[in-house]
Amino acid sequence: AECGSGAFIGIIVAAVVWYTFASFATRTYLTYLRSHNDRGNLPPSVTPFLWTPLTTIVFPICALVAGGAAAWFGIGGGMVLNSLLLESEIVPAAVSATGGVTTMMTALQSAAIFIVDGQLQWDYALVLLAAGFIGTAIGQLVLMKKIREWKAQYLIIAALLVILVGSMVTQLAMGIYQTVIVADQGGSLGFVPLCK
């Protein structure tokens, strides 16, 4: 559909309606599970996180803000997801694993887009891929073993905090640097109408 056409606007409206419906249906189902769990009708494994009427509203809003921030500012959704999962009182090891899988899926999606567009710099990609595998192997085979041995779950939270703060500082520095470079060269900062 051509940008700005009736079909284009219809697709956007249909997507908003669908996601709103899906959100309310999911909220209804989660509160239903919570009520059955409170009565002892379900095993704890079915609902590892006990959703409340408040969290079924707050967490999706946080996810929406995180998605917007990821699109606008380039931050990773894993950073926000880890914080939400820790707030949900999920064990740090599970939070770390979930954040890692989320980051991997996001990276694969981004890499696929760059490959299709022919913009992937293979030398950087292969070095970063190797670094990611080596870091994961060291973390899982050495550090996680020591954390379990010492019963020091707080180290996982400390590592997540260091990664979160480091990523935020790096993103901020890169954003400022790129904005200054573009502004000095008289380029556009990207604020353009939806349909050019």
Side-chain angles (χ1 to χ4, degrees):
E2 185 179 336
C3 187
S5 68
F8 178 82
I9 293 170
I11 291 170
I12 291 175
V13 169
V16 169
V17 168
W18 165 249
Y19 285 121
T20 303
F21 168 77
S23 296
F24 279 110
T26 303
R27 180 177 189 270
T28 303
Y29 180 67
L30 291 172
T31 52
Y32 165 80
L33 285 180
R34 171 64 188 255
S35 67
H36 279 276
N37 194 6
D38 287 346
R39 288 186 233 132
N41 296 341
L42 293 173
S45 60
V46 174
T47 55
F49 172 63
L50 295 179
W51 290 91
T52 65
L54 179 63
T55 57
T56 58
I57 294 172
V58 172
F59 280 23
I61 290 172
C62 289
L64 185 64
V65 171
W72 291 329
F73 308 123
I75 65 170
M79 292 191 305
V80 178
L81 177 65
N82 287 341
S83 302
L84 283 176
L85 293 177
L86 286 171
E87 177 64 24
S88 305
E89 299 178 3
I90 295 176
V91 294
V95 170
S96 176
T98 304
V101 169
T102 303
T103 301
M104 181 186 72
M105 297 306 289
T106 304
L108 288 174
Q109 179 185 8
S110 298
I113 291 170
F114 279 106
I115 290 170
V116 169
D117 287 346
Q119 297 179 352
L120 186 69
Q121 297 181 6
W122 285 99
D123 51 350
Y124 285 115
L126 294 175
V127 167
L128 293 175
L129 180 67
F133 275 113
I134 292 168
T136 301
I138 292 170
Q140 291 299 314
L141 301 176
V142 178
L143 298 178
M144 285 302 289
K145 182 178 175 184
K146 290 295 183 186
I147 287 170
R148 285 189 205 101
E149 183 180 308
W150 297 337
K151 294 182 172 58
Q153 294 288 313
Y154 65 90
L155 290 176
I156 297 174
I157 297 172
L160 291 172
L161 180 65
V162 168
I163 292 168
L164 178 65
V165 171
S167 298
M168 288 180 3
V169 169
T170 304
Q171 287 289 339
L172 180 64
M174 283 301 298
I176 291 171
Y177 174 76
Q178 289 175 345
T179 302
V180 168
I181 295 295
V182 169
D184 282 348
Q185 294 175 353
S188 167
L189 296 177
F191 296 107
V192 294
L194 178 62
C195 298
K196 297 178 187 178

